[in-house]
Each structure stands twice: as structure tokens, then as C-alpha cells.
Amino acid sequence: MSNGSSSEKIASQVALSSSKMALSAFERHIEEKLNEKTEKQETPNSKPKVNINETKSF
């Protein structure tokens, strides 16, 4: 294997690792945002969800 080919392989691996790290960071960011949104929706002031199709018993 030539030195140039070896360098290209290493550069490719570094780029792939960098992309994986960026994707991981983005995933964590999205999960945090979704968790924040979920927490905001679960405030005590929110009305309980009612299933209008549920059979009623009086």
C-alpha cells in the first residue's frame, strides 16, 4: 500500500468519526428539546386527556 493511499484511508476514517460525533451530538440535542417540550405539556394546569370514544358508565 502506498503512503498516499494510507493517508487517504486515515483521512476518510477521521472524517467518518467526525460525522458520527456530530450526528450523536445532534441526536442528544433533539432528545433534550423533545424532553423539554414534553415536560412543558405535562404542567399541572393542563387539562386531563379525555377519551370521547370511551363507553360511559353513570
Side-chain angles (χ1 to χ4, degrees):
M1 187 183 291
S2 70
N3 193 20
S5 176
S6 179
S7 296
E8 287 176 7
K9 184 175 180 181
I10 291 171
S12 176
Q13 289 173 341
V14 169
L16 182 59
S17 294
S18 176
S19 295
K20 286 180 180 178
M21 287 189 293
L23 182 59
S24 251
F26 182 66
E27 243 179 339
R28 281 193 304 274
H29 173 73
I30 294 298
E31 285 175 0
E32 288 172 5
K33 290 295 180 185
L34 287 172
N35 288 337
E36 284 177 15
K37 196 166 194 164
T38 302
E39 288 170 3
K40 287 179 185 175
Q41 289 177 352
E42 293 175 354
T43 58
N45 296 337
S46 64
K47 296 179 181 177
K49 293 182 181 176
V50 177
N51 184 354
I52 60 171
N53 296 322
E54 187 177 321
T55 57
K56 310 289 188 275
S57 61
F58 295 97

